[in-house]
Amino acid sequence: MQKSILFLLLFVYSFCFAQQNTEINTALEQWHKAAADADFEAYFGLMTEDAIFIGTDPTENWNNSEFKAFAKPYFDKGKAWSFSTLERNIFAQKESDIAWFDELLDTQMGICRGSGVIQKTANGWKVKHYVLSIAIPNKNVAEITKLKEGFDTALMQKLRAPKN
């Protein structure tokens, strides 16, 4: 009897957890599709009001309103960006309204890695924090480091400068 109850509880927990992951995966797929379709309202509707988006450039660390201002011209032209999922891992605690994920994406920049935090709201799961990185194979790091050396040096000097 106890084994049956334990098995049933594990089954229910596994089902609920799988359903939660399915909902998160669906929300992320809809978010990426909204960008590919240049659907500004749908894209930003799948982000929390206090969302943060960190892009591939070291100067791209935007709150939601800053990211909207950056992205609007791309969406208005009818062509934002198109990312398709190659792989995704979702992590969540039981009965939590917060989950985190990482994903490999096929993009116009080649393979990129996205990672973030997604929050369950009254209107479903929404992206709260997202980081997009260009994935560089280890064997190419030296040449990429050399290529961006001037930019990095100038930005590091600016960031290390005393603030007034």
Side-chain angles (χ1 to χ4, degrees):
M1 180 75 165
Q2 286 181 332
K3 285 184 181 181
S4 297
I5 293 172
L6 181 60
F7 178 75
L8 180 61
L9 289 174
L10 286 172
F11 176 77
V12 170
Y13 173 75
S14 296
F15 177 77
C16 292
F17 189 73
Q19 183 174 346
Q20 178 180 355
N21 280 1
T22 299
E23 291 171 3
I24 293 167
N25 191 60
T26 299
L28 292 169
E29 288 301 315
Q30 289 172 341
W31 187 56
H32 289 313
K33 184 174 183 336
D37 294 344
D39 187 340
F40 185 86
E41 295 303 321
Y43 185 80
F44 285 97
L46 286 162
M47 295 177 77
T48 63
E49 286 298 316
D50 63 345
I52 300 293
F53 187 99
I54 299 173
T56 58
D57 185 293
T59 64
E60 297 174 339
N61 188 334
W62 296 301
N63 65 35
N64 195 319
S65 60
E66 293 166 335
F67 187 47
K68 282 180 180 178
F70 166 81
K72 184 106 171 78
Y74 294 96
F75 281 83
D76 286 349
K77 290 178 186 170
K79 177 105 172 93
W81 43 87
S82 183
F83 299 167
S84 60
T85 308
L86 300 169
E87 175 183 279
R88 178 175 294 133
N89 300 295
I90 299 170
F91 308 92
Q93 292 182 345
K94 182 180 171 188
E95 298 178 22
S96 177
D97 64 346
I98 296 284
W100 56 101
F101 62 93
D102 63 76
E103 56 189 5
L104 285 178
L105 303 165
D106 178 355
T107 79
Q108 67 274 13
M109 298 172 282
I111 295 177
C112 285
R113 179 171 305 282
S115 61
V117 175
I118 190 163
Q119 181 176 23
K120 188 169 190 172
T121 70
N123 297 314
W125 289 93
K126 295 188 177 198
V127 175
K128 186 170 188 65
H129 190 102
Y130 193 77
V131 179
L132 181 66
S133 305
I134 297 173
I136 310 283
N138 288 334
K139 69 179 187 171
N140 300 115
V141 169
E143 64 190 284
I144 297 301
T145 302
K146 184 72 174 157
L147 183 66
K148 64 189 203 94
E149 182 178 29
F151 179 90
D152 285 0
T153 299
L155 184 57
M156 285 188 284
Q157 287 174 346
K158 179 180 174 186
L159 293 171
R160 288 181 178 144
K163 308 288 188 251
N164 293 333

